[in-house]
């Protein structure tokens, strides 16, 4: 994904993931959906989250947790290739999530204006569903590093 290729976006997404336990794929989906379809409905987002949650929790997060545990606890040179394999599996798992999000989204009708304000609205709805109160400082980083690039899809 072109948007995630920006180092600032990548670091922001990882920070949001670590601070608020968000799914980076859902954040990026909120922006992508806003750029092509507009604001998503609460029902659509709830349905997408429910469909995505089992795979994300049982596969993607488990792979990430194992990889991070190895990084923090085993620096042995024989473990490094295994950790890289876990990273590749994690990336493949995330790609599967993205494909599922895309397939689900293509069945939707456009819902009004597209772009930055729709992306912010979609993200806010996602944070609300997580009961996550994003700090003002993080919102400023979101505005500066992510929402300004929404139309880069």
């Amino acid at each position: 994904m072109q948007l995630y290729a920006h180092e600032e976006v990548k670091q922001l997404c990882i920070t949001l993931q670590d601070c608020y336990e968000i799914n980076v794929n859902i954040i990026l989906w909120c922006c992508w959906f806003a750029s092509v379809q507009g604001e998503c409905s609460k029902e659509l987002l709830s349905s997408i989250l429910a469909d995505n949650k089992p795979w994300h929790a049982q596969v993607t997060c488990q792979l990430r947790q194992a990889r991070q545990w190895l990084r923090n606890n085993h620096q042995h040179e024989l473990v490094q290739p295994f950790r890289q394999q876990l990273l590749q599996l994690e990336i493949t798992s995330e790609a599967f999530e993205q494909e599922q999000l895309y397939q689900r989204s293509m069945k939707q009708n456009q819902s009004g204006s597209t772009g930055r304000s729709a992306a912010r609205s979609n993200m806010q709805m996602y944070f609300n569903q997580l009961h996550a109160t994003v700090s003002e400082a993080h919102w400023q980083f979101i505005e500066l590093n992510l929402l300004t690039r929404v139309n880069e899809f």
Side-chain angles (χ1 to χ4, degrees):
M1 174 173 280
Q2 292 175 352
L3 185 61
Y4 195 74
H6 295 280
E7 188 60 31
E8 302 85 12
V9 172
K10 182 178 180 180
Q11 290 306 314
L12 172 63
C13 288
I14 291 169
T15 298
L16 294 172
Q17 176 180 275
D18 292 346
C19 291
Y20 305 102
E21 297 182 7
I22 60 102
N23 179 336
V24 170
N25 281 325
I26 301 294
I27 288 293
L28 296 173
W29 175 84
C30 286
C31 294
W32 172 81
F33 192 85
S35 73
V36 296
Q37 300 280 22
E39 290 184 24
C40 67
S41 67
K42 186 175 182 180
E43 295 76 23
L44 173 61
L45 182 59
S46 294
S47 177
I48 280 183
L49 293 175
D51 289 349
N52 180 265
K53 186 176 183 176
W55 181 272
H56 184 72
Q58 297 303 319
V59 180
T60 306
C61 288
Q62 297 297 321
L63 289 166
R64 181 177 304 122
Q65 188 176 34
R67 179 180 54 80
Q68 290 173 338
W69 186 85
L70 288 173
R71 181 187 65 214
N72 295 331
N73 294 290
H74 288 282
Q75 298 300 319
H76 193 278
E77 65 186 46
L78 292 175
V79 174
Q80 298 311 313
F82 180 62
R83 200 175 96 220
Q84 289 303 312
Q85 289 174 340
L86 283 174
L87 175 59
Q88 290 308 308
L89 289 171
E90 183 183 345
I91 290 168
T92 301
S93 179
E94 289 177 332
F96 176 75
E97 285 184 51
Q98 290 169 359
E99 177 64 21
Q100 296 300 307
L101 292 168
Y102 174 77
Q103 292 300 326
R104 185 74 189 280
S105 301
M106 296 318 298
K107 299 174 185 172
Q108 303 301 312
N109 295 323
Q110 188 168 352
S111 59
S113 65
T114 60
R116 186 177 179 165
S117 64
R120 190 179 210 292
S121 176
N122 292 348
M123 288 176 61
Q124 183 63 61
M125 190 181 334
Y126 175 47
F127 292 143
N128 289 346
Q129 289 207 15
L130 294 177
H131 304 289
T133 304
V134 177
S135 73
E136 186 58 39
H138 284 139
W139 269 115
Q140 289 175 2
F141 284 119
I142 290 168
E143 290 284 347
L144 179 65
N145 295 307
L146 185 58
L147 297 181
T148 56
R149 294 182 165 107
V150 164
N151 293 324
E152 291 184 18
F153 288 97

